[in-house]
């Protein structure tokens, strides 16, 4: 699977959540399903390891978040930086560093997000574990199967995501470790756009759905 397809698959899975901000409850009965504590950290950082269920592809990287400001995933494969996903309150940035391509767009300009009323708040909630009361609608299941804590705030450490659309089935398992609350990192990805080709996000989504 090409790195660009891999990154777009992740973004598509995120965008397929409904506006009700669904996320299935953890199967671990020992974990409370109530709302997280209000003692929220301002920043969260973690190492990530991700496996795609429809292939043997795995990658590692970093997850960095600033509350109400950015969710940033930097992905590596065999030690090479293959891409970045960055969600801010206003825009989505996707960078495919292998094929030198990128997408930068507002949420309302991406059909898959606009049609499902997906915005930064929805995506942030999934990573911070704020959608504990959600449900599986038959198309996407997003479960948390392990947790860690930062400043007494319970945060998901294991995300199990499965997606179905017609005969297409995909998903990923993401494991987070080495949590911290460091804020000393660039909150916005700096990209020399003269060295990358800007792509239309809707055209790429349509191509992905036809794979």
């Amino acid at each position: 699977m090409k790195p660009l397809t891999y990154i777009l698959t992740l973004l598509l899975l995120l965008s397929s959540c409904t506006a009700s901000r669904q996320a299935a409850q953890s199967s671990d009965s020992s974990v409370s399903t109530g709302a997280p504590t209000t003692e929220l950290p301002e920043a969260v950082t973690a190492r990530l390891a991700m496996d795609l269920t429809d292939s043997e592809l795995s990658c590692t990287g970093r997850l960095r978040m600033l509350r109400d400001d950015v969710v940033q995933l930097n992905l590596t494969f065999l030690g090479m930086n293959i891409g970045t996903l960055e969600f801010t309150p206003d825009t989505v940035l996707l960078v495919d560093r292998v094929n030198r391509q990128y997408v930068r767009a507002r949420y309302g300009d991406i059909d898959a997000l606009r049609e499902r009323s997906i915005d930064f708040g929805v995506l942030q909630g999934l990573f911070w574990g704020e959608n504990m009361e959600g449900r599986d609608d038959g198309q996407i299941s997003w479960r948390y199967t392990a947790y860690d804590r930062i400043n007494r705030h319970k945060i998901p450490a294991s995300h199990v995501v499965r997606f179905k659309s017609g005969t297409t089935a995909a998903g990923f398992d993401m494991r987070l470790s080495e949590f911290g609350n460091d804020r000393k990192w660039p909150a916005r990805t700096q990209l020399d756009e003269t060295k990358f080709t800007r792509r239309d996000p809707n055209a790429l989504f349509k191509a992905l759905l036809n794979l």
Side-chain angles (χ1 to χ4, degrees):
M1 179 181 292
K2 294 181 180 179
L4 178 59
T5 302
Y6 165 74
I7 298 170
L8 282 174
T9 299
L10 174 59
L11 183 56
L12 179 62
L13 291 168
L14 290 172
S15 69
S16 298
C17 305
T18 67
S20 62
R21 301 184 182 186
Q22 62 202 23
Q25 296 179 4
S26 168
S27 59
D28 183 353
S29 60
S30 66
V31 176
S32 170
T33 57
T37 175
T38 57
E39 298 181 22
L40 294 172
E42 293 184 3
V44 171
T45 63
R47 289 190 177 276
L48 71 83
M50 187 180 297
D51 301 318
L52 258 67
T53 59
D54 62 340
S55 74
E56 297 181 356
L57 180 64
S58 298
C59 73
T60 57
R62 299 287 301 184
L63 169 68
R64 297 185 177 99
M65 302 187 290
L66 289 178
R67 183 69 190 172
D68 297 327
D69 185 57
V70 66
V71 174
Q72 186 183 94
L73 294 93
N74 288 299
L75 307 176
T76 60
F77 180 69
L78 297 178
M80 180 177 62
N81 187 345
I82 63 171
T84 298
L85 277 170
E86 185 174 280
F87 305 108
T88 69
D90 298 321
T91 61
V92 173
L93 172 66
L94 183 153
V95 182
D96 172 14
R97 299 186 184 279
V98 176
N99 296 301
R100 313 295 289 182
Q101 304 176 91
Y102 78 100
V103 167
R104 190 192 300 274
R106 300 179 67 88
Y107 293 87
D109 294 332
I110 302 176
D111 294 343
L113 302 182
R114 185 186 64 254
E115 293 169 359
R116 296 169 175 84
S117 300
I118 300 302
D119 58 15
F120 176 74
V122 175
L123 299 174
Q124 174 175 255
L126 288 170
F127 285 99
W128 285 76
E130 297 174 333
N131 303 320
M132 307 286 287
E133 302 293 336
R135 61 186 183 279
D136 182 344
D137 73 347
Q139 286 189 315
I140 187 168
S141 170
W142 191 301
R143 297 187 297 116
Y144 309 128
T145 59
Y147 294 83
D148 208 320
R149 290 184 181 272
I150 299 179
N151 298 344
R152 297 180 61 188
H153 174 71
K154 185 171 64 180
I155 191 163
S158 177
H159 300 244
V160 178
V161 178
R162 299 293 182 268
F163 170 75
K164 294 180 180 179
S165 178
T167 60
T168 301
F172 63 88
D173 297 336
M174 181 171 66
R175 300 173 300 283
L176 303 174
S177 62
E178 300 182 26
F179 282 94
N181 55 8
D182 176 31
R183 295 193 55 162
K184 296 179 180 180
W185 46 272
R188 296 293 184 272
T189 298
Q190 300 300 313
L191 183 69
D192 185 352
E193 297 182 3
T194 64
K195 297 181 179 180
F196 287 75
T197 300
R198 187 165 186 168
R199 300 293 302 276
D200 175 67
N202 295 312
L204 289 176
F205 275 121
K206 290 178 181 178
L208 178 61
L209 288 170
N210 290 328
L211 289 177

